[in-house]
Amino acid sequence: MPGKHLSVVVTRRLPEVVETRLKELFNVTLRDDDTPMTTDELAAAMSEADVLVPTITDHIDAKLLGRAGDRLKLIANYGAGVDHIDVATARQRGIHVSNTPGVMTEDTADMVIALMMAVSRRMGEGMALAQSDKWQGWSPTAMLGTRLRGKRLGILGMGRIGQAVARRAAAFGMGVHYHNRKRLRPEVEEELDATYWESLDQMVARIDVLSINCPHTPSTFHLMNARRLKLMKPDALIVNTSRGEVIDENALTRMLRAGEIAGAGLDVFERGHDINPRLKELQNAILLPHMGSATVEGRIEMGEKVIINIKTFADGHRPPDLVIPAML
Ligand SMILES: O=CC(=O)O
């Protein structure tokens, strides 16, 4: 499959340099506007293309994969998370799936820290006050937040992003704790000075800030359910830059309202951009529109990864970022 003859359909607008490079290399169909494709548009794309480049806004389930043509051989996702793609069914149908890990690690870790600081130092409330006419000037007792130094950070999911968060947290003088399916190698654990908790229940009960950094899979869905959220200290904070589905959003909203959890910094939500309206009303929740990896540099590097995956595949080799269903 030499590149130029490879028909590639991209479902969303990508940075201009990425689109230009795709055009140079492949017979590519780009999207005119930046709206997500409808199910029928996606199905049409999947029946015509050799390679589909989707993003998180495309839900590629078994039904849709059933409408794919015999030509479709690779779904080169623009993004790291692949929970919007039924990877196992794709595999059964002989369609490979690749993603773009690694290039968004540092940016997402930065966002974890930004949210942690924003919540602990009440930046949302502070900005609203400064922009209002109500601010009467400095006061020794107003807008008091919580110090991060000396606090315990619990990282749920110690992959690349979790480890990048751990490195940053150490610079803030926080103690790093983590829970992961697999314990880190001793030398990595030592380098990060991180304490492993086999029991997530025990970890969440002891930490001051929880950062969710695991992917969304059937086994992480609602990992932070009402029962587990209740184990957290009432003055604890929770930050989620991974996927909304890992937390029971309604339970979290109730607990934030009741002051049973002190604050939350959320970049992702359980139902995409359909955020629980009660969550939007809360002063102790900083909400962002899924922008953890949204840097100019990161988005270009994601495009480069997509191109490398397609090129390698077109040359008859295994794409470097092939997603194996068993990994999920
Ligand atoms: O959240 C963003 C991604 O998974 O790429």
Side-chain angles (χ1 to χ4, degrees), residues 68-134:
D70 291 338
R71 279 185 76 163
L72 187 67
K73 289 287 174 290
L74 175 67
I75 297 176
N77 188 55
Y78 183 86
V82 287
D83 50 327
H84 54 293
I85 304 173
D86 185 338
V87 180
T89 303
R91 189 64 165 208
Q92 277 161 19
R93 298 184 58 92
I95 303 165
H96 292 85
V97 177
S98 62
N99 65 343
T100 61
V103 290
M104 51 232 296
T105 302
E106 303 300 327
D107 296 331
T108 308
D110 285 349
M111 191 58 100
V112 172
I113 302 297
L115 278 171
M116 190 163 81
M117 295 179 73
V119 179
S120 66
R121 301 301 298 272
R122 303 174 57 183
M123 288 188 193
E125 288 168 76
M127 182 162 161
L129 181 61
Q131 286 176 332
S132 76
D133 299 327
K134 294 193 197 110

Side-chain angles (χ1 to χ4, degrees), residues 55-56 77-84 99-101 104 108 161 241-243 267-268 290-294 299 302:
T55 72
I56 185 185
N77 188 55
Y78 183 86
V82 287
D83 50 327
H84 54 293
N99 65 343
T100 61
M104 51 232 296
T108 308
I161 298 174
T241 54
S242 161
R243 285 291 182 266
D267 186 40
V268 285
H290 199 160
M291 49 195 267
S293 64
R299 290 285 189 258
M302 286 163 69

Side-chain angles (χ1 to χ4, degrees), residues 100-291:
T100 61
V103 290
M104 51 232 296
T105 302
E106 303 300 327
D107 296 331
T108 308
D110 285 349
M111 191 58 100
V112 172
I113 302 297
L115 278 171
M116 190 163 81
M117 295 179 73
V119 179
S120 66
R121 301 301 298 272
R122 303 174 57 183
M123 288 188 193
E125 288 168 76
M127 182 162 161
L129 181 61
Q131 286 176 332
S132 76
D133 299 327
K134 294 193 197 110
W135 186 39
Q136 300 293 317
W138 190 83
S139 145
T141 55
M143 292 305 306
L144 304 188
T146 323
R147 176 184 293 167
L148 290 178
R149 178 164 291 275
K151 297 286 164 28
R152 292 172 161 212
L153 170 67
I155 299 176
L156 170 50
M158 198 59 143
R160 279 181 257 234
I161 298 174
Q163 292 179 36
V165 171
R167 291 197 175 88
R168 284 160 175 73
F172 281 83
M174 301 183 83
V176 174
H177 300 254
Y178 78 99
H179 172 84
N180 201 40
R181 265 190 315 185
K182 236 175 88 198
R183 188 167 178 171
L184 295 174
R185 292 199 315 276
E187 63 274 21
V188 182
E189 211 172 79
E190 198 177 322
E191 188 240 316
L192 295 173
D193 198 10
T195 305
Y196 173 66
W197 292 84
E198 194 177 337
S199 159
L200 177 57
D201 282 0
Q202 286 183 17
M203 182 180 86
V204 297
R206 283 167 179 77
I207 51 159
D208 302 295
V209 182
L210 177 70
S211 174
I212 312 284
N213 295 109
C214 60
H216 165 224
T217 66
S219 52
T220 64
F221 176 78
H222 278 195
L223 206 51
M224 290 309 294
N225 53 21
R227 183 193 66 78
R228 226 173 235 134
L229 287 167
K230 286 210 166 77
L231 297 175
M232 292 180 67
K233 298 198 276 183
D235 56 359
L237 310 175
I238 185 160
V239 170
N240 190 4
T241 54
S242 161
R243 285 291 182 266
E245 290 92 333
V246 180
I247 306 180
D248 179 341
E249 188 171 302
N250 291 338
L252 175 65
T253 304
R254 280 196 305 274
M255 292 182 65
L256 284 166
R257 276 170 69 91
E260 290 162 0
I261 286 186
L266 307 171
D267 186 40
V268 285
F269 305 91
E270 199 175 334
R271 289 164 290 277
H273 60 279
D274 179 15
I275 304 174
N276 182 329
R278 301 205 132 178
L279 190 51
K280 292 194 210 172
E281 292 164 2
L282 298 177
Q283 289 209 322
N284 53 349
I286 302 258
L287 313 182
L288 295 180
H290 199 160
M291 49 195 267

Side-chain angles (χ1 to χ4, degrees), residues 17 41 69 273 300 311 314:
V17 281
E41 281 174 321
H273 60 279
I300 293 173
K311 264 304 261 162

